[in-house]
Amino acid sequence: MELLHNIALGFQDVLTPTLLFYCAVGTTVGTAIGVLPGIGPLVAISVLFPLTFHVPPDAAIIMLAGIYFGAEYGGSTASILLNLPGTAANAVTCLDGYPMARQGRAGVALFIKTISSFFGGCVALIVLIVLTPLIVKVALNFGSPEYFALMVLGLLAAATLSVASPAKGIAMVILGVLLGLVGTDVNSGQYRYVFGIPDLADGLDLVAVAMGLFGVAEITGRLVSRDFTESPERVRWRSLIAGREDMRRAFFPMIRGSIAGILSGILPGAGPSLGAFLAYGAEKRVSKTPERFGNGAIEGIAAPEAANNASVQAAFIPTLSLGIPGDAVMALILGALIVHGIQPGPSMIPQHPELFWSLVASFWVANVFLMFLNLPLIGIWVRLLSIPYSLLYPAVMVFICVGVYSLRLSVVDVASVLVFGAVGYFMNMCRLPTAPLLLGFILGAPLEEHLRRALIISHGELSVFVTRPIAASILGFCVLLMLGTVVGSLASSARRARLRRSAENAQ
Amino acid sequence: MKIPKHCDKPPGSHEKFDVMGGMAIAAVGVASAFIAHGYAFGTLRRMGPGYLPTVLSVLLIVVGIIVAIQRSDRDEEAASLAIRPLIAVLGSILAFAVLVRPLGLVIATLVTVPVAAIAEPKARPLPTAVLAVGMAVAISLIFVWFLNVPISLGWW
């Protein structure tokens, strides 16, 4: 069968010292980054991004991907042991992981989370193998109207799904798109929003914006809340093996979590946090004993962990098949491909099938590495957690500054980190979501390009978006999503008004 | 479902931040529309450089107003404005930006670390100094020696 043949070829490529080395580096660094609170995968990927220039494309991608996967694996270690999530998606794991640790069952929690993550990853990989070529086949018929519609869907999803206030999300997306238009307009050569600064003529740098919005804002936020004094208890190796009862309990949550994770990974802007939240909520609703959740229910770890690992792997599906990144990490990974002269999009896989299949094989290898990294090396990760934050964050600041500067040797880029760090802090203060802004920024220029092209081809007729079936159905879905969100938010504000009134009456 | 948060503030005091955020958004929209006005607009058939920016700016103003007037009290704690960490972190980036070209990577790093460390009142001078030197060495090794990034180490 051709599928097996391709997979075999992929493994043949991967089981070479070079690729295995970069996979190992990526997963180890990623896990360490994930364990350490205050540094996210985005910072790590940005810092190691320059390395990918000097390395063949498959090695580059697998290293970056390894960091991404590793960070999700590692982040939950801190969640369980310290109640401090390493990444946003691991926040849910705190809810039952930390109570389990306090009950002396930290080892079991860590074991189950590793197994669940591995399971989620494998399932996601199977979906990736099956779904991606199918999507590519459909997408080869895509024209600019379809791309535009897809990007609108992605932006809308990002703006409305994991956000408290859809209006805020939409505002951030629009702002992001405007920021994405900073630079030179390709069609006319006109400088837009450049303010006479030459370095801005190529636009704002993605890494600088991402580091400022997420990295700097996160560090500042953590310094403000100043909650990092606890040190974790030691975890003995023997305590890691979970009993049969625990494994049995974790089994179906793993499956349900994987599904939630895959769905959230495929949808742009949704991401592992959403998947983990959904998985946890679903488990609680499905459980016959929901009161156990929050007190150390094993299902409360198995499902979200399977979900977040499945999600980060499934995020590669739209990235590799359509060339549309779901978040900043995927955008950077696409950037690494572009650096090597590989044009992302539906034609990428048909033109470079060996790249796709070796990536597939290396994802599986990464999952295996992570499983073996996490179990025996738990002791080391735990010791990492006791590094005082006051030493850690200045080091991270230096890495951020040098990392960004090393990309284009531009002081303007470093200044961008400064500006967006302040902006990010302001946004966090006003509870404005930052992720939609980043996604808008990434998709801004391509969005305009496809809109323009669609309208040129249709001679200015907006109806082109309605007459073409795929574009029409995607946009129809957008309308439904908008309606659903508006109705939902109206309903919840009505509910809140009712509650407020009854609370006032009760006084 | 409560996610463990690390600060406890009275609920409901968040509204003024929401309004502030919304007005900031609308203000950005106004500024952006003003700037985009200077670019050629074009027609639907041949969209000029100013088309999408203008449309988006107007949308931004509208949504900003919606955000400002929306009541969204969700029992969230109000955010705190902590000046010291903010100045320290932003200051360290500024220090690096200003120093890296004229004085080189090593000096820039040596200054960036202590400035960032200001955020932590408990930071003691000796560990900070050791960290600064350590980072300068590590950065030089990783970026200049290993990755061959052409950043000058010093002022030459």
Side-chain angles (χ1 to χ4, degrees):
Chain A
M1 229 181 79
E2 192 178 330
L3 188 67
L4 289 178
H5 176 68
N6 286 328
I7 297 180
L9 277 182
F11 271 105
Q12 211 175 13
D13 278 339
V14 167
L15 297 175
T16 54
T18 328
L19 275 186
L20 284 178
F21 171 71
Y22 280 103
C23 190
V25 167
T27 48
T28 315
V29 171
T31 313
I33 299 288
V35 165
L36 293 170
I39 321 180
L42 202 52
V43 175
I45 291 182
S46 312
V47 167
L48 292 176
F49 191 71
L51 187 75
T52 64
F53 293 6
H54 309 280
V55 146
D58 43 7
I61 307 294
I62 189 52
M63 193 180 77
L64 297 180
I67 296 178
Y68 196 29
F69 302 161
E72 288 306 328
Y73 259 88
S76 42
T77 307
S79 305
I80 293 174
L81 292 176
L82 282 187
N83 210 24
L84 261 187
T87 68
N90 301 119
V92 186
T93 316
C94 293
L95 295 175
D96 279 277
Y98 190 58
M100 275 186 82
R102 308 215 96 179
Q103 292 162 15
R105 302 226 296 153
V108 173
L110 292 168
F111 183 77
I112 292 290
K113 88 140 164 105
T114 310
I115 300 288
S116 306
S117 292
F118 182 72
F119 185 84
C122 290
V123 175
L125 207 53
I126 295 176
V127 173
L128 180 87
I129 293 174
V130 170
L131 209 54
T132 313
L134 286 178
I135 296 181
V136 167
K137 232 181 257 165
V138 172
L140 283 172
N141 296 323
F142 276 13
S144 286
E146 281 76 30
Y147 276 110
F148 177 75
L150 212 53
M151 289 181 187
V152 170
L153 177 63
L155 291 176
L156 202 58
T160 51
L161 280 184
S162 32
V163 173
S165 155
K168 289 181 180 174
I170 293 182
M172 291 298 103
V173 162
I174 297 178
L175 187 57
V177 173
L178 279 172
L179 287 169
L181 297 180
V182 168
T184 313
D185 174 33
V186 188
N187 275 27
S188 60
Q190 164 94 47
Y191 286 157
R192 291 191 288 192
Y193 301 110
V194 166
F195 304 120
I197 305 175
D199 284 3
L200 281 185
D202 283 328
L204 289 163
D205 187 70
L206 167 67
V207 175
V209 172
M211 295 261 233
L213 274 187
F214 292 101
V216 174
E218 185 184 328
I219 291 180
T220 328
R222 231 174 250 278
L223 285 173
V224 168
S225 55
R226 325 185 79 231
D227 191 359
F228 32 79
T229 44
E230 244 181 281
S231 50
E233 27 190 291
R234 316 226 19 215
V235 176
R236 249 175 298 269
W237 212 34
R238 208 158 303 155
S239 71
L240 282 182
I241 308 299
R244 235 211 217 132
E245 173 67 22
D246 290 317
M247 291 289 289
R248 191 187 61 82
R249 280 236 190 97
F251 184 64
F252 280 107
M254 277 197 254
I255 297 182
R256 287 190 282 263
S258 306
I259 298 177
I262 293 173
L263 288 175
S264 74
I266 291 186
L267 195 60
S273 324
L274 186 68
F277 273 87
L278 285 179
Y280 188 84
E283 274 321 300
K284 205 165 167 185
R285 225 166 297 148
V286 160
S287 165
K288 300 192 184 68
T289 49
E291 63 285 349
R292 275 185 307 120
F293 282 75
N295 294 323
I298 203 106
E299 298 88 329
I301 300 181
E305 283 305 308
N308 72 26
N309 202 41
S311 174
V312 299
Q313 305 208 7
F316 274 92
I317 297 179
T319 308
L320 293 177
S321 63
L322 296 170
I324 294 182
D327 61 14
V329 173
M330 287 297 131
L332 283 174
I333 290 182
L334 280 181
L337 283 171
I338 294 178
V339 160
H340 287 278
I342 299 176
Q343 199 58 244
S347 48
M348 188 191 85
I349 297 183
Q351 279 173 6
H352 302 270
E354 72 289 345
L355 179 66
F356 175 69
W357 291 109
S358 71
L359 277 182
V360 163
S362 47
F363 286 179
W364 192 79
V365 171
N367 271 302
V368 173
F369 272 8
L370 284 169
M371 190 161 75
F372 287 112
L373 269 182
N374 270 271
L375 289 178
L377 296 187
I378 280 285
I380 301 188
W381 305 131
V382 169
R383 216 156 306 150
L384 264 183
L385 282 171
S386 33
I387 299 181
Y389 197 65
S390 50
L391 283 184
L392 210 50
Y393 80 91
V396 176
M397 290 311 305
V398 170
F399 265 112
I400 290 179
C401 292
V402 182
V404 165
Y405 185 67
S406 72
L407 292 173
R408 293 196 296 185
L409 293 186
S410 159
V411 175
V412 172
D413 286 344
V414 183
S416 308
V417 177
L418 184 76
V419 170
F420 282 98
V423 168
Y425 186 77
F426 179 73
M427 284 170 67
N428 285 342
M429 218 169 56
C430 301
R431 295 266 191 262
L432 294 170
T434 44
L437 189 146
L438 194 70
L439 204 61
F441 175 73
I442 295 167
L443 292 179
L447 190 76
E448 184 188 41
E449 181 190 325
H450 285 296
L451 178 63
R452 268 212 181 117
R453 220 182 279 163
L455 287 174
I456 288 179
I457 291 177
S458 71
H459 302 294
E461 293 291 329
L462 277 177
S463 61
V464 69
F465 295 110
V466 184
T467 49
R468 292 171 68 128
I470 304 183
S473 38
I474 298 178
L475 285 175
F477 196 69
C478 291
V479 171
L480 282 177
L481 187 60
M482 269 256 64
L483 283 178
T485 329
V486 168
V487 167
S489 98
L490 283 178
S492 59
S493 43
R495 204 185 317 134
R496 248 180 280 128
R498 236 181 300 128
L499 281 174
R500 225 179 296 132
R501 246 177 285 127
S502 60
E504 282 162 19
N505 289 342
Q507 282 169 1
Chain B
M1 184 164 75
K2 290 208 100 199
I3 311 298
K5 294 253 198 242
H6 303 291
C7 34
D8 283 300
K9 294 265 158 70
S13 41
H14 203 267
E15 250 174 64
K16 64 175 187 283
F17 286 108
D18 284 346
V19 174
M20 199 162 67
M23 303 220 313
I25 294 173
V28 170
V30 169
S32 167
F34 191 68
I35 298 174
H37 189 62
Y39 308 140
F41 197 70
T43 62
L44 256 188
R45 186 168 161 174
R46 297 196 134 272
M47 278 170 52
Y51 200 101
L52 199 58
T54 312
V55 170
L56 289 178
S57 308
V58 171
L59 274 179
L60 201 59
I61 300 175
V62 171
V63 182
I65 297 179
I66 295 181
V67 168
I69 59 182
Q70 207 181 39
R71 291 196 72 178
S72 63
D73 47 357
R74 286 170 153 249
D75 272 352
E76 280 172 4
E77 328 84 37
S80 44
L81 179 65
I83 290 291
R84 188 175 172 142
L86 195 63
I87 299 218
V89 168
L90 296 183
S92 65
I93 307 177
L94 184 65
F96 187 86
V98 166
L99 293 174
V100 71
R101 280 257 176 91
L103 292 182
L105 190 58
V106 171
I107 303 228
T109 310
L110 285 175
V111 174
T112 305
V113 172
V115 175
I118 296 178
E120 183 59 37
K122 281 186 273 165
R124 292 180 332 266
L126 188 57
T128 310
V130 170
L131 182 66
V133 173
M135 284 311 296
V137 171
I139 290 290
S140 309
L141 282 178
I142 297 176
F143 282 92
V144 180
W145 180 76
F146 185 53
L147 291 179
N148 289 316
V149 182
I151 310 181
S152 54
L153 285 175
W155 52 89
W156 44 89

